[in-house]
Structures are given as structure tokens and as C-alpha cells.
Amino acid sequence: MTVPEGWALLEGVRAFALPHYRAPDRAYHDDRHVRSMLTALGGRGVLTPALALAVWGHDVVYDARRHDNEARSADLMDDWLAAKQAPADVRARVSSMILATRHAEAPATQEEALLVDADLGILGASPGLFAAYDAAIRREYAHVPDAVYRPARRAVLQGFLDRPRLYVTPEFADLEAQARMNLRGAVAALAD
């Protein structure tokens, strides 16, 4: 059986990325997060080879003590894609999508928007899954004292709540109401 056009680049990406995602310091940003995003995009019928590559690459570097993880992830993924002789346009699209997961500005393309919405999909999960995510993030930041973590985490979550819309694509719009409920509860709990 031959691999359909475009999907051939995905051969080997799992073997390349899994050791990074299975690092012992990861409680949330691990391979389960990657699988969840791939499932969300695939289940909505929008998963493309470039999106799949960006999902695998978006958190390939994750260090809770640093603020440049997305840039480092984009660089590492680009190096891997270059070694696989990926076309320049694919490399540029994948890098752009990975950098969009900084959540610093609105996504510039539909692909970026889909990746960002999939990355934020956990915010709209059931309350139990959201609570498990929130606890896993706290474990990743275990080195940060509560007196620092709680107001910083509250500010991050409040920043998401302050957006007019959390999900910018119609494919993920159904998560909006649950995400807002989850975020309001988490922000309130961090205020105590």
C-alpha cells in the first residue's frame, strides 16, 4: 500500500517526536495531548498533512522554566523537516502554525486557527478532564511557589476569558460555552 501524496512526510515524525513528549517532566504537554489534538482535528474532518506535522511539532520542546518553547519547537521541527527534504512551503507553513500556538495574537491563516483551536480544545473539555488538565499544568510548574503560581495562572486563564471568542473556527465553536464555564471556575478557585 502506498502512502497518499502529502502524508509521506509523516513517516518517522512519531519516532522523532515521542522521546520529547515522553520526557519525565511533562504532565500535560505529552503525547496524550498530541493524540487528543490529532483526534479532534481528524474527527472534524480537517486534518491535513501540514496540520498533523504542526501538531507533532508544536510542543516538541517544552520547558516550564522558559518562555521560548514555541520558537524552539518550530526550529527543531524545521530542522527535522529539512533533513526529510520537505518542500520550503510546507516547512514555512508548519513553522508558522507552531508559532501561532504562543497564543499571543490572532491566527493569520485557517490552518493556524485550526491548530490553535485544537491546542485550546482542553479548555472546553468536561469538568473532570479540565480539572485533570489543570492539575497536570500545576505539576509541570511544581518549581513555582503557590504565591507566584496562583496569580500568574489566574492572569493567563483570565486572559482567555477576556477574549470575545476562545475558538475562532466553526469546527471548534461547540466548545465555547463549556470552556467559559471551566475557565470561570478555575479563575474563581485561584482567587481563594
Side-chain angles (χ1 to χ4, degrees), residues 114-141:
L114 286 166
L115 183 69
V116 166
D117 280 1
D119 192 32
L120 296 179
I122 189 63
L123 301 181
S126 69
L129 287 175
F130 179 84
Y133 147 78
D134 206 35
I137 293 295
R138 183 62 182 114
R139 285 193 305 278
E140 288 183 346
Y141 284 87

PDB file of all heavy atoms in Angstrom, residues 114-141:
ATOM      1  N   LEU A 114      -7.033  26.542  13.109  1.00  0.00           N
ATOM      2  CA  LEU A 114      -7.405  25.170  13.467  1.00  0.00           C
ATOM      3  C   LEU A 114      -6.440  24.583  14.490  1.00  0.00           C
ATOM      4  O   LEU A 114      -6.860  23.934  15.447  1.00  0.00           O
ATOM      5  CB  LEU A 114      -7.467  24.292  12.219  1.00  0.00           C
ATOM      6  CG  LEU A 114      -8.675  24.530  11.316  1.00  0.00           C
ATOM      7  CD1 LEU A 114      -8.473  23.870   9.955  1.00  0.00           C
ATOM      8  CD2 LEU A 114      -9.963  24.030  11.976  1.00  0.00           C
ATOM      9  N   LEU A 115      -5.148  24.827  14.305  1.00  0.00           N
ATOM     10  CA  LEU A 115      -4.169  24.302  15.259  1.00  0.00           C
ATOM     11  C   LEU A 115      -4.349  24.948  16.632  1.00  0.00           C
ATOM     12  O   LEU A 115      -4.340  24.256  17.655  1.00  0.00           O
ATOM     13  CB  LEU A 115      -2.739  24.509  14.762  1.00  0.00           C
ATOM     14  CG  LEU A 115      -1.668  23.924  15.684  1.00  0.00           C
ATOM     15  CD1 LEU A 115      -1.712  22.400  15.672  1.00  0.00           C
ATOM     16  CD2 LEU A 115      -0.287  24.409  15.281  1.00  0.00           C
ATOM     17  N   VAL A 116      -4.526  26.259  16.652  1.00  0.00           N
ATOM     18  CA  VAL A 116      -4.714  26.966  17.920  1.00  0.00           C
ATOM     19  C   VAL A 116      -5.987  26.482  18.618  1.00  0.00           C
ATOM     20  O   VAL A 116      -5.981  26.209  19.819  1.00  0.00           O
ATOM     21  CB  VAL A 116      -4.737  28.497  17.693  1.00  0.00           C
ATOM     22  CG1 VAL A 116      -5.255  29.236  18.916  1.00  0.00           C
ATOM     23  CG2 VAL A 116      -3.341  28.990  17.325  1.00  0.00           C
ATOM     24  N   ASP A 117      -7.072  26.335  17.864  1.00  0.00           N
ATOM     25  CA  ASP A 117      -8.318  25.858  18.468  1.00  0.00           C
ATOM     26  C   ASP A 117      -8.145  24.440  19.004  1.00  0.00           C
ATOM     27  O   ASP A 117      -8.640  24.125  20.101  1.00  0.00           O
ATOM     28  CB  ASP A 117      -9.462  25.909  17.456  1.00  0.00           C
ATOM     29  CG  ASP A 117     -10.056  27.299  17.295  1.00  0.00           C
ATOM     30  OD1 ASP A 117      -9.571  28.250  17.948  1.00  0.00           O
ATOM     31  OD2 ASP A 117     -11.016  27.434  16.515  1.00  0.00           O
ATOM     32  N   ALA A 118      -7.457  23.577  18.263  1.00  0.00           N
ATOM     33  CA  ALA A 118      -7.221  22.211  18.754  1.00  0.00           C
ATOM     34  C   ALA A 118      -6.357  22.237  20.006  1.00  0.00           C
ATOM     35  O   ALA A 118      -6.595  21.474  20.954  1.00  0.00           O
ATOM     36  CB  ALA A 118      -6.570  21.367  17.658  1.00  0.00           C
ATOM     37  N   ASP A 119      -5.366  23.120  20.030  1.00  0.00           N
ATOM     38  CA  ASP A 119      -4.493  23.236  21.199  1.00  0.00           C
ATOM     39  C   ASP A 119      -5.280  23.675  22.429  1.00  0.00           C
ATOM     40  O   ASP A 119      -5.010  23.231  23.544  1.00  0.00           O
ATOM     41  CB  ASP A 119      -3.363  24.226  20.884  1.00  0.00           C
ATOM     42  CG  ASP A 119      -2.243  24.206  21.901  1.00  0.00           C
ATOM     43  OD1 ASP A 119      -1.958  23.130  22.481  1.00  0.00           O
ATOM     44  OD2 ASP A 119      -1.610  25.263  22.105  1.00  0.00           O
ATOM     45  N   LEU A 120      -6.263  24.533  22.220  1.00  0.00           N
ATOM     46  CA  LEU A 120      -7.094  25.023  23.326  1.00  0.00           C
ATOM     47  C   LEU A 120      -8.318  24.144  23.579  1.00  0.00           C
ATOM     48  O   LEU A 120      -9.127  24.446  24.455  1.00  0.00           O
ATOM     49  CB  LEU A 120      -7.561  26.456  23.042  1.00  0.00           C
ATOM     50  CG  LEU A 120      -6.475  27.527  22.950  1.00  0.00           C
ATOM     51  CD1 LEU A 120      -7.102  28.882  22.633  1.00  0.00           C
ATOM     52  CD2 LEU A 120      -5.665  27.582  24.228  1.00  0.00           C
ATOM     53  N   GLY A 121      -8.431  23.057  22.849  1.00  0.00           N
ATOM     54  CA  GLY A 121      -9.592  22.194  22.986  1.00  0.00           C
ATOM     55  C   GLY A 121      -9.824  21.716  24.407  1.00  0.00           C
ATOM     56  O   GLY A 121     -10.968  21.563  24.837  1.00  0.00           O
ATOM     57  N   ILE A 122      -8.770  21.501  25.154  1.00  0.00           N
ATOM     58  CA  ILE A 122      -8.890  21.023  26.537  1.00  0.00           C
ATOM     59  C   ILE A 122      -9.681  21.991  27.412  1.00  0.00           C
ATOM     60  O   ILE A 122     -10.322  21.581  28.370  1.00  0.00           O
ATOM     61  CB  ILE A 122      -7.489  20.737  27.152  1.00  0.00           C
ATOM     62  CG1 ILE A 122      -7.607  20.025  28.496  1.00  0.00           C
ATOM     63  CG2 ILE A 122      -6.684  22.029  27.284  1.00  0.00           C
ATOM     64  CD1 ILE A 122      -8.236  18.660  28.432  1.00  0.00           C
ATOM     65  N   LEU A 123      -9.662  23.264  27.074  1.00  0.00           N
ATOM     66  CA  LEU A 123     -10.417  24.235  27.871  1.00  0.00           C
ATOM     67  C   LEU A 123     -11.912  23.957  27.813  1.00  0.00           C
ATOM     68  O   LEU A 123     -12.636  24.260  28.757  1.00  0.00           O
ATOM     69  CB  LEU A 123     -10.129  25.664  27.392  1.00  0.00           C
ATOM     70  CG  LEU A 123      -8.678  26.129  27.434  1.00  0.00           C
ATOM     71  CD1 LEU A 123      -8.565  27.564  26.943  1.00  0.00           C
ATOM     72  CD2 LEU A 123      -8.084  25.976  28.821  1.00  0.00           C
ATOM     73  N   GLY A 124     -12.370  23.355  26.706  1.00  0.00           N
ATOM     74  CA  GLY A 124     -13.785  23.054  26.544  1.00  0.00           C
ATOM     75  C   GLY A 124     -14.138  21.609  26.846  1.00  0.00           C
ATOM     76  O   GLY A 124     -15.217  21.142  26.478  1.00  0.00           O
ATOM     77  N   ALA A 125     -13.249  20.914  27.527  1.00  0.00           N
ATOM     78  CA  ALA A 125     -13.494  19.511  27.884  1.00  0.00           C
ATOM     79  C   ALA A 125     -14.479  19.423  29.049  1.00  0.00           C
ATOM     80  O   ALA A 125     -14.834  20.431  29.665  1.00  0.00           O
ATOM     81  CB  ALA A 125     -12.168  18.848  28.261  1.00  0.00           C
ATOM     82  N   SER A 126     -14.883  18.211  29.360  1.00  0.00           N
ATOM     83  CA  SER A 126     -15.761  18.002  30.519  1.00  0.00           C
ATOM     84  C   SER A 126     -15.067  18.544  31.768  1.00  0.00           C
ATOM     85  O   SER A 126     -13.839  18.636  31.808  1.00  0.00           O
ATOM     86  CB  SER A 126     -16.041  16.513  30.697  1.00  0.00           C
ATOM     87  OG  SER A 126     -14.849  15.848  31.108  1.00  0.00           O
ATOM     88  N   PRO A 127     -15.841  18.894  32.800  1.00  0.00           N
ATOM     89  CA  PRO A 127     -15.215  19.424  34.011  1.00  0.00           C
ATOM     90  C   PRO A 127     -14.145  18.499  34.596  1.00  0.00           C
ATOM     91  O   PRO A 127     -13.109  18.971  35.066  1.00  0.00           O
ATOM     92  CB  PRO A 127     -16.397  19.595  34.972  1.00  0.00           C
ATOM     93  CG  PRO A 127     -17.564  19.836  34.070  1.00  0.00           C
ATOM     94  CD  PRO A 127     -17.311  18.969  32.865  1.00  0.00           C
ATOM     95  N   GLY A 128     -14.363  17.198  34.549  1.00  0.00           N
ATOM     96  CA  GLY A 128     -13.377  16.260  35.078  1.00  0.00           C
ATOM     97  C   GLY A 128     -12.078  16.270  34.293  1.00  0.00           C
ATOM     98  O   GLY A 128     -10.981  16.283  34.878  1.00  0.00           O
ATOM     99  N   LEU A 129     -12.179  16.270  32.967  1.00  0.00           N
ATOM    100  CA  LEU A 129     -10.971  16.322  32.133  1.00  0.00           C
ATOM    101  C   LEU A 129     -10.262  17.666  32.281  1.00  0.00           C
ATOM    102  O   LEU A 129      -9.035  17.733  32.304  1.00  0.00           O
ATOM    103  CB  LEU A 129     -11.306  16.054  30.667  1.00  0.00           C
ATOM    104  CG  LEU A 129     -11.648  14.622  30.311  1.00  0.00           C
ATOM    105  CD1 LEU A 129     -12.077  14.510  28.853  1.00  0.00           C
ATOM    106  CD2 LEU A 129     -10.468  13.702  30.596  1.00  0.00           C
ATOM    107  N   PHE A 130     -11.049  18.737  32.391  1.00  0.00           N
ATOM    108  CA  PHE A 130     -10.444  20.054  32.588  1.00  0.00           C
ATOM    109  C   PHE A 130      -9.694  20.102  33.921  1.00  0.00           C
ATOM    110  O   PHE A 130      -8.588  20.629  33.995  1.00  0.00           O
ATOM    111  CB  PHE A 130     -11.493  21.168  32.532  1.00  0.00           C
ATOM    112  CG  PHE A 130     -10.900  22.529  32.756  1.00  0.00           C
ATOM    113  CD1 PHE A 130     -10.327  23.237  31.713  1.00  0.00           C
ATOM    114  CD2 PHE A 130     -10.894  23.098  34.025  1.00  0.00           C
ATOM    115  CE1 PHE A 130      -9.755  24.496  31.916  1.00  0.00           C
ATOM    116  CE2 PHE A 130     -10.328  24.350  34.244  1.00  0.00           C
ATOM    117  CZ  PHE A 130      -9.762  25.043  33.193  1.00  0.00           C
ATOM    118  N   ALA A 131     -10.287  19.551  34.969  1.00  0.00           N
ATOM    119  CA  ALA A 131      -9.627  19.532  36.285  1.00  0.00           C
ATOM    120  C   ALA A 131      -8.326  18.733  36.228  1.00  0.00           C
ATOM    121  O   ALA A 131      -7.324  19.136  36.823  1.00  0.00           O
ATOM    122  CB  ALA A 131     -10.564  18.959  37.341  1.00  0.00           C
ATOM    123  N   ALA A 132      -8.328  17.615  35.508  1.00  0.00           N
ATOM    124  CA  ALA A 132      -7.107  16.813  35.358  1.00  0.00           C
ATOM    125  C   ALA A 132      -6.039  17.601  34.596  1.00  0.00           C
ATOM    126  O   ALA A 132      -4.855  17.571  34.957  1.00  0.00           O
ATOM    127  CB  ALA A 132      -7.419  15.506  34.638  1.00  0.00           C
ATOM    128  N   TYR A 133      -6.447  18.327  33.550  1.00  0.00           N
ATOM    129  CA  TYR A 133      -5.527  19.194  32.802  1.00  0.00           C
ATOM    130  C   TYR A 133      -4.943  20.264  33.712  1.00  0.00           C
ATOM    131  O   TYR A 133      -3.734  20.497  33.739  1.00  0.00           O
ATOM    132  CB  TYR A 133      -6.269  19.828  31.618  1.00  0.00           C
ATOM    133  CG  TYR A 133      -5.815  21.214  31.251  1.00  0.00           C
ATOM    134  CD1 TYR A 133      -4.642  21.417  30.527  1.00  0.00           C
ATOM    135  CD2 TYR A 133      -6.556  22.333  31.623  1.00  0.00           C
ATOM    136  CE1 TYR A 133      -4.227  22.699  30.193  1.00  0.00           C
ATOM    137  CE2 TYR A 133      -6.154  23.604  31.288  1.00  0.00           C
ATOM    138  CZ  TYR A 133      -4.985  23.792  30.583  1.00  0.00           C
ATOM    139  OH  TYR A 133      -4.569  25.053  30.256  1.00  0.00           O
ATOM    140  N   ASP A 134      -5.803  20.914  34.488  1.00  0.00           N
ATOM    141  CA  ASP A 134      -5.364  21.996  35.368  1.00  0.00           C
ATOM    142  C   ASP A 134      -4.356  21.469  36.400  1.00  0.00           C
ATOM    143  O   ASP A 134      -3.336  22.118  36.674  1.00  0.00           O
ATOM    144  CB  ASP A 134      -6.587  22.617  36.049  1.00  0.00           C
ATOM    145  CG  ASP A 134      -6.355  24.054  36.461  1.00  0.00           C
ATOM    146  OD1 ASP A 134      -5.650  24.785  35.748  1.00  0.00           O
ATOM    147  OD2 ASP A 134      -6.901  24.447  37.514  1.00  0.00           O
ATOM    148  N   ALA A 135      -4.616  20.288  36.937  1.00  0.00           N
ATOM    149  CA  ALA A 135      -3.695  19.678  37.910  1.00  0.00           C
ATOM    150  C   ALA A 135      -2.375  19.296  37.237  1.00  0.00           C
ATOM    151  O   ALA A 135      -1.295  19.444  37.829  1.00  0.00           O
ATOM    152  CB  ALA A 135      -4.344  18.451  38.542  1.00  0.00           C
ATOM    153  N   ALA A 136      -2.441  18.831  35.995  1.00  0.00           N
ATOM    154  CA  ALA A 136      -1.220  18.465  35.272  1.00  0.00           C
ATOM    155  C   ALA A 136      -0.360  19.697  34.986  1.00  0.00           C
ATOM    156  O   ALA A 136       0.868  19.643  35.097  1.00  0.00           O
ATOM    157  CB  ALA A 136      -1.579  17.737  33.975  1.00  0.00           C
ATOM    158  N   ILE A 137      -0.999  20.800  34.644  1.00  0.00           N
ATOM    159  CA  ILE A 137      -0.239  22.046  34.428  1.00  0.00           C
ATOM    160  C   ILE A 137       0.445  22.446  35.728  1.00  0.00           C
ATOM    161  O   ILE A 137       1.622  22.836  35.734  1.00  0.00           O
ATOM    162  CB  ILE A 137      -1.167  23.180  33.923  1.00  0.00           C
ATOM    163  CG1 ILE A 137      -1.687  22.865  32.521  1.00  0.00           C
ATOM    164  CG2 ILE A 137      -0.448  24.525  33.954  1.00  0.00           C
ATOM    165  CD1 ILE A 137      -0.639  22.823  31.429  1.00  0.00           C
ATOM    166  N   ARG A 138      -0.246  22.322  36.843  1.00  0.00           N
ATOM    167  CA  ARG A 138       0.374  22.669  38.133  1.00  0.00           C
ATOM    168  C   ARG A 138       1.589  21.793  38.401  1.00  0.00           C
ATOM    169  O   ARG A 138       2.605  22.274  38.909  1.00  0.00           O
ATOM    170  CB  ARG A 138      -0.645  22.549  39.286  1.00  0.00           C
ATOM    171  CG  ARG A 138      -0.059  22.969  40.641  1.00  0.00           C
ATOM    172  CD  ARG A 138       0.363  24.427  40.599  1.00  0.00           C
ATOM    173  NE  ARG A 138       0.966  24.911  41.808  1.00  0.00           N
ATOM    174  CZ  ARG A 138       2.249  25.292  41.899  1.00  0.00           C
ATOM    175  NH1 ARG A 138       3.071  25.190  40.860  1.00  0.00           N
ATOM    176  NH2 ARG A 138       2.712  25.780  43.022  1.00  0.00           N
ATOM    177  N   ARG A 139       1.515  20.503  38.049  1.00  0.00           N
ATOM    178  CA  ARG A 139       2.671  19.616  38.230  1.00  0.00           C
ATOM    179  C   ARG A 139       3.841  20.049  37.352  1.00  0.00           C
ATOM    180  O   ARG A 139       4.992  19.973  37.777  1.00  0.00           O
ATOM    181  CB  ARG A 139       2.294  18.160  37.942  1.00  0.00           C
ATOM    182  CG  ARG A 139       1.466  17.530  39.051  1.00  0.00           C
ATOM    183  CD  ARG A 139       1.347  16.023  38.938  1.00  0.00           C
ATOM    184  NE  ARG A 139       0.834  15.543  37.674  1.00  0.00           N
ATOM    185  CZ  ARG A 139      -0.458  15.477  37.344  1.00  0.00           C
ATOM    186  NH1 ARG A 139      -1.381  15.899  38.205  1.00  0.00           N
ATOM    187  NH2 ARG A 139      -0.828  14.995  36.179  1.00  0.00           N
ATOM    188  N   GLU A 140       3.555  20.522  36.151  1.00  0.00           N
ATOM    189  CA  GLU A 140       4.639  20.997  35.279  1.00  0.00           C
ATOM    190  C   GLU A 140       5.300  22.249  35.853  1.00  0.00           C
ATOM    191  O   GLU A 140       6.464  22.516  35.565  1.00  0.00           O
ATOM    192  CB  GLU A 140       4.119  21.259  33.864  1.00  0.00           C
ATOM    193  CG  GLU A 140       3.807  19.985  33.112  1.00  0.00           C
ATOM    194  CD  GLU A 140       3.358  20.200  31.681  1.00  0.00           C
ATOM    195  OE1 GLU A 140       3.019  21.351  31.301  1.00  0.00           O
ATOM    196  OE2 GLU A 140       3.342  19.215  30.934  1.00  0.00           O
ATOM    197  N   TYR A 141       4.564  22.985  36.648  1.00  0.00           N
ATOM    198  CA  TYR A 141       5.098  24.200  37.277  1.00  0.00           C
ATOM    199  C   TYR A 141       5.324  23.999  38.773  1.00  0.00           C
ATOM    200  O   TYR A 141       5.258  24.953  39.557  1.00  0.00           O
ATOM    201  CB  TYR A 141       4.145  25.382  37.030  1.00  0.00           C
ATOM    202  CG  TYR A 141       4.246  25.907  35.616  1.00  0.00           C
ATOM    203  CD1 TYR A 141       3.497  25.353  34.592  1.00  0.00           C
ATOM    204  CD2 TYR A 141       5.126  26.942  35.307  1.00  0.00           C
ATOM    205  CE1 TYR A 141       3.608  25.819  33.293  1.00  0.00           C
ATOM    206  CE2 TYR A 141       5.239  27.420  34.014  1.00  0.00           C
ATOM    207  CZ  TYR A 141       4.473  26.851  33.007  1.00  0.00           C
ATOM    208  OH  TYR A 141       4.598  27.317  31.721  1.00  0.00           O
TER     209      TYR A 141
END
